[in-house]
Amino acid sequence: MTAPDPLGFAVLAFVTLERGAELALARRNTARLIRAGAVEHAAGHYPLIVVLHAAWLAGLWLLAWGTGPDLAWLVLFGLLQLLRAWTLATLGPRWTTRIIVSPGAPLVRRGPYRLLRHPNYAVVAGEILVLPLAFGLPLYAFAFSLANAAILLAVRVPAEERALAAARPGKVEP
């Protein structure tokens, strides 16, 4: 087995640790929201999202091992991380990886939500594309981007839109 590229290893370790920390935060937020009366919607597709993201990350560890990332793509990935942090900070305790809706709570329209309806999904789509490209894996980037888009466009976003519309007709946070 070839030795890992130090920067490549650091990037993959960062993403792995980041995802683990986000899952822990999401679990904590989900439990708190449910205790406060929030409701989960369209839970059936969630395992598919988990499998897709786990396969994407595991495949990167396997295919990018020993490869140094392209710095231009890595800078773009870093910018996506800033947008990710902004999105999570904007939602605060309302952020989760599931579709959890608090009935009557207004929609968030500040931070990146002023610019995009679903900024977290845009970030994830960008990451799924950009990180494999940083490691010279264009077919991998394309395949996982296509799979992610199919899940997001066909299942996740429509389910979330229905849940949000049903829970707070006409209410928008300033």
Side-chain angles (χ1 to χ4, degrees):
M1 179 183 248
T2 60
D5 174 82
L7 181 57
F9 181 85
V11 168
L12 292 176
F14 167 78
V15 173
T16 302
L17 292 172
E18 176 187 50
R19 293 302 189 272
E22 286 176 357
L23 286 175
L25 175 62
R27 270 190 228 108
R28 189 169 55 246
N29 286 348
T30 295
R32 187 190 46 70
L33 287 165
I34 297 292
R35 282 192 308 272
V39 178
E40 181 172 6
H41 296 266
H45 75 280
Y46 186 72
L48 183 59
I49 289 175
V50 171
V51 167
L52 176 80
H53 286 260
W56 173 78
L57 189 55
L60 282 174
W61 275 102
L62 179 70
L63 297 174
W65 187 261
T67 304
D70 177 86
L71 294 182
W73 285 112
L74 200 54
V75 166
L76 182 54
F77 184 77
L79 293 173
L80 287 167
Q81 298 317 293
L82 294 175
L83 182 54
R84 171 187 286 288
W86 188 24
T87 300
L88 270 64
T90 299
L91 288 179
R94 291 173 67 176
W95 181 82
T96 181
T97 55
R98 297 176 175 269
I99 301 173
I100 307 291
V101 179
S102 297
L107 287 176
V108 174
R109 293 283 191 210
R110 63 188 192 293
Y113 291 87
R114 290 178 312 206
L115 309 170
L116 295 170
R117 177 84 171 153
H118 298 284
N120 196 61
Y121 299 154
V123 168
V124 170
E127 291 171 333
I128 286 174
L129 176 68
V130 168
L131 196 56
L133 290 175
F135 286 103
L137 301 167
L139 294 177
Y140 192 84
F142 176 74
F144 274 91
S145 291
L146 194 60
N148 183 61
I151 293 168
L152 280 181
L153 296 176
V155 180
R156 180 69 176 219
V157 170
E160 188 165 317
E161 289 295 329
R162 285 190 302 274
L164 292 172
R168 57 181 73 72
K171 292 187 177 185
V172 177
E173 182 180 87

